[in-house]
Amino acid sequence: MTVTLLLEPLPADARDEDLASTFRQVPADAPALRVGELSTQRGDGVFETIAVTDGHAQETGPHLDRLRNSAVICELPEPNLRQWRAAIDRVVGLLPAEGEFALKLVLSRGVEHGPAPTAWLHASPAADFSTPRAQGVSVVTLDRGYAHDAAAKAPWLLLGAKTLSYATNMAALREAHRRGADDTIFVSSDGFVMEGPTSSVILRHGDLYSTPAPSGAILHGTTQMSLFDHLAETGRRTEYRDIRVEELSTADAIWLVSSVRLAVGVTELDGAAFPYDAEETRAFNEYLLTPRE
Ligand code: PLP
C-alpha cells in the first residue's frame, strides 16, 4: 500500500484557501517526474521522513520546521507549511488506520531552467524494525571527513540541511556492513561524536543523557528532541554538548534514534561487546509509538 501526491508548491506567504487543488494523487506505477529534475540529476533538493503510526503523522511540526530550515540553507523557496500540512493530512487519510508507514516529503529545485520547484509526498509501509528495536545493533565508528565546526567554515557543504544527497551516508552504511556491523556512528576529523547516517546518537552516563550539540554540522533529530522532552518531563537530566569520541566507550548505554526505526540500542561498538539496556530501549519505543505532535 503506497500513496503518492504531487504538490504545486505555493509561496510561503500565500493565503490560498483551496489548498486541496494544489496537490493530486498519482498512481504508484505512473511516471511522475521529468527527466530534467535536479533532484534526480544532482540530489538538489531537501526532504523529510515522517513516521505515520496507526493513522497519526508523528512530530509533523518539528519535521516541517526542519524542512523549512533545510530549504533556507539550500536557498530554495521557503515551503508553505499550511499547504504541506494539508497534503500530509490527505496522505494520512488515505492510509490504513493501523500499522507503521514512512511518509517522505520532497522539495526539489525543480526541472533545470524551469520556473518553479517541484514537490511530492510518498508514503509506503515501514520496514519491520521489530528485531533491531528489541535486540539492538552493532556499530562501528567512521570518520566523517570534516571537523565538527565545518558548517561555519564551509556553509556551501549544506551541513545541517536534510538534502537529498545521501549517497555518502549510504556508502558509510555499506562500509559498516563490510566491517561486519549493522550501523555506524560518524566521528568528526577532530574527534567528536556526530550522528549516524540516518539517526541521532544519545549516550547515557549514569543518570545523564547527552547528545552532540546541534552545531550545524549534524541534523537536529526530531526523535532525539521528542525523547529529550519526554526524559525531562519524567525527571531525567539531559544535555547538549560536544562529545569526544573516547566518551562513547565510557557510556553505560548508547542509542541511535530516528523517526521510523525509532530507538535502537548499541550492543557492540567497534568490535567489542557494549552494555545494552533492553528495558530502557523498550520504554523509549513504547513512548515513541504513542501519538506525538
Ligand atoms: N541524522 C541524520 C543524518 C538523519 O538522516 C536522520 C534521519 O533520517 C537523523 C539524524 C534523525 O532525524 P529524525 O529523528 O528527525 O528522523
Side-chain angles (χ1 to χ4, degrees), residues 140-248:
V140 286
T141 51
L142 290 179
D143 191 336
R144 189 53 156 147
Y146 43 74
H148 80 299
D149 61 353
K153 286 189 181 147
W156 43 89
L157 292 180
L158 306 177
L159 306 178
K162 196 166 165 69
T163 74
L164 291 166
S165 315
Y166 260 49
T168 56
N169 297 37
M170 297 301 109
L173 272 182
R174 290 195 297 275
E175 178 62 23
H177 295 160
R178 259 193 298 279
R179 297 185 188 197
D182 300 314
D183 210 326
T184 176
I185 293 177
F186 284 130
V187 175
S188 66
S189 57
D190 51 348
F192 291 93
V193 176
M194 301 188 86
E195 61 186 346
T198 61
S199 59
S200 311
V201 180
I202 296 176
L203 289 74
R204 193 188 70 210
H205 289 89
D207 64 353
L208 178 63
Y209 299 79
S210 54
T211 197
S215 60
I218 60 173
L219 282 189
H220 199 175
T222 61
T223 316
Q224 172 270 313
M225 280 190 269
S226 175
L227 204 48
F228 267 31
D229 285 348
H230 172 68
L231 287 169
E233 276 162 17
T234 49
R236 267 81 62 84
R237 290 197 301 140
T238 62
E239 70 171 9
Y240 290 97
R241 64 187 171 90
D242 290 338
I243 299 175
R244 299 281 321 171
V245 61
E246 302 79 42
E247 295 182 66
L248 286 174

Side-chain angles (χ1 to χ4, degrees), residues 9-206:
L10 291 170
D13 56 0
R15 291 274 169 267
D16 192 330
E17 285 313 312
D18 188 17
L19 294 175
S21 68
T22 65
F23 41 79
R24 66 187 165 88
Q25 190 177 3
V26 293
D29 53 356
L33 295 179
R34 311 249 309 262
V35 168
E37 251 301 312
L38 292 168
S39 54
T40 53
Q41 288 193 32
R42 295 191 173 142
D44 195 355
V46 298
F47 78 104
E48 282 296 319
T49 305
I50 299 182
V52 181
T53 309
D54 295 337
H56 180 82
Q58 301 281 32
E59 300 285 333
T60 301
H63 279 288
L64 288 178
D65 287 346
R66 194 170 60 189
L67 184 75
R68 176 172 47 198
N69 187 47
S70 297
V72 169
I73 293 173
C74 294
E75 299 172 75
L76 285 163
E78 252 188 67
N80 181 307
L81 300 191
R82 282 179 58 243
Q83 182 190 25
W84 282 91
R85 247 181 210 282
I88 291 168
D89 288 348
R90 167 67 63 84
V91 173
V92 171
L94 293 166
L95 290 173
E98 284 183 5
E100 293 181 49
F101 292 83
L103 168 56
K104 204 161 180 174
L105 320 180
V106 182
L107 174 62
S108 144
R109 200 171 301 279
V111 175
E112 197 157 20
H113 311 304
T118 47
W120 65 94
L121 299 87
H122 178 72
S124 57
D128 179 5
F129 289 119
S130 50
T131 303
R133 282 179 196 165
Q135 295 176 13
V137 288
S138 57
V139 163
V140 286
T141 51
L142 290 179
D143 191 336
R144 189 53 156 147
Y146 43 74
H148 80 299
D149 61 353
K153 286 189 181 147
W156 43 89
L157 292 180
L158 306 177
L159 306 178
K162 196 166 165 69
T163 74
L164 291 166
S165 315
Y166 260 49
T168 56
N169 297 37
M170 297 301 109
L173 272 182
R174 290 195 297 275
E175 178 62 23
H177 295 160
R178 259 193 298 279
R179 297 185 188 197
D182 300 314
D183 210 326
T184 176
I185 293 177
F186 284 130
V187 175
S188 66
S189 57
D190 51 348
F192 291 93
V193 176
M194 301 188 86
E195 61 186 346
T198 61
S199 59
S200 311
V201 180
I202 296 176
L203 289 74
R204 193 188 70 210
H205 289 89

